Amino acid sequence: MIVGLISDFARQKSVLPAAVVRALEAIQKVDPLKMEPGKYEVEGDKLFFLVQDVELRTLAESRAEAHKQYADIQLPYSTAERYGFALPQPELPIADDQLKDKDLAFFPTPAAEAFIDVNPGTYLVFLPNELHRPCVVVSEKKTIRKVVMKV
């Protein structure tokens, strides 16, 4: 996992992976708060983003997830969001396998899961197989506008 601030991106991009740099540069050219929810291609299926309006969930309502093909770059835009994170755990059984159709698998609660609260202006990069739990409520249940970039 990589966590950073968009405001620091220009100073840090020389040490970030090239695909992450391209993705963050692309998202800075648009205003997701003014866009319709949906999928937007940047480099075809190699780099695209989803503008989403998602209801934040309690920890009990959420599930850890991971992807095999894509890295996720998650950017909250309208409110704070809590994320769970755990390193890959190959022994953890898949609870809901949607990898073939959506590159998405859900898992039971992983061991040694850590949590981070982030505000708009933050980006988080979850590499393939890293377990993450997005869209967890920080203070009150509400809808969040966010972008999920896939690289």
Side-chain angles (χ1 to χ4, degrees), residues 1-73:
M1 177 176 74
I2 299 169
V3 180
L5 297 172
I6 293 294
S7 60
D8 292 336
F9 171 65
R11 289 185 301 274
Q12 296 174 341
K13 69 182 183 177
S14 66
V15 297
L16 291 170
V20 172
V21 170
R22 289 194 322 275
L24 292 174
E25 286 176 342
I27 201 63
Q28 290 182 61
K29 295 176 183 175
V30 298
D31 183 353
L33 291 173
K34 295 180 180 176
M35 299 172 78
E36 290 294 319
K39 179 179 176 180
Y40 296 86
E41 291 186 0
V42 178
E43 296 176 13
D45 65 350
K46 292 184 183 221
L47 171 56
F48 60 92
F49 65 93
L50 307 167
V51 175
Q52 301 175 328
D53 292 326
V54 182
E55 183 74 21
L56 293 175
R57 302 178 280 264
T58 65
L59 189 59
E61 296 168 330
S62 66
R63 300 187 289 175
E65 64 182 58
H67 313 283
K68 299 289 183 199
Q69 181 179 357
Y70 290 100
D72 264 6
I73 304 172

Side-chain angles (χ1 to χ4, degrees), residues 56-64 82-85 109-110 113-115 133-138 141:
L56 293 175
R57 302 178 280 264
T58 65
L59 189 59
E61 296 168 330
S62 66
R63 300 187 289 175
R82 178 169 292 152
Y83 289 85
F85 171 77
T109 301
E113 185 177 24
F115 292 88
R133 189 188 303 235
C135 302
V136 178
V137 65
V138 174
K141 287 184 91 169

Side-chain angles (χ1 to χ4, degrees), residues 107-120:
F107 294 84
T109 301
E113 185 177 24
F115 292 88
I116 183 171
D117 294 351
V118 298
N119 292 308

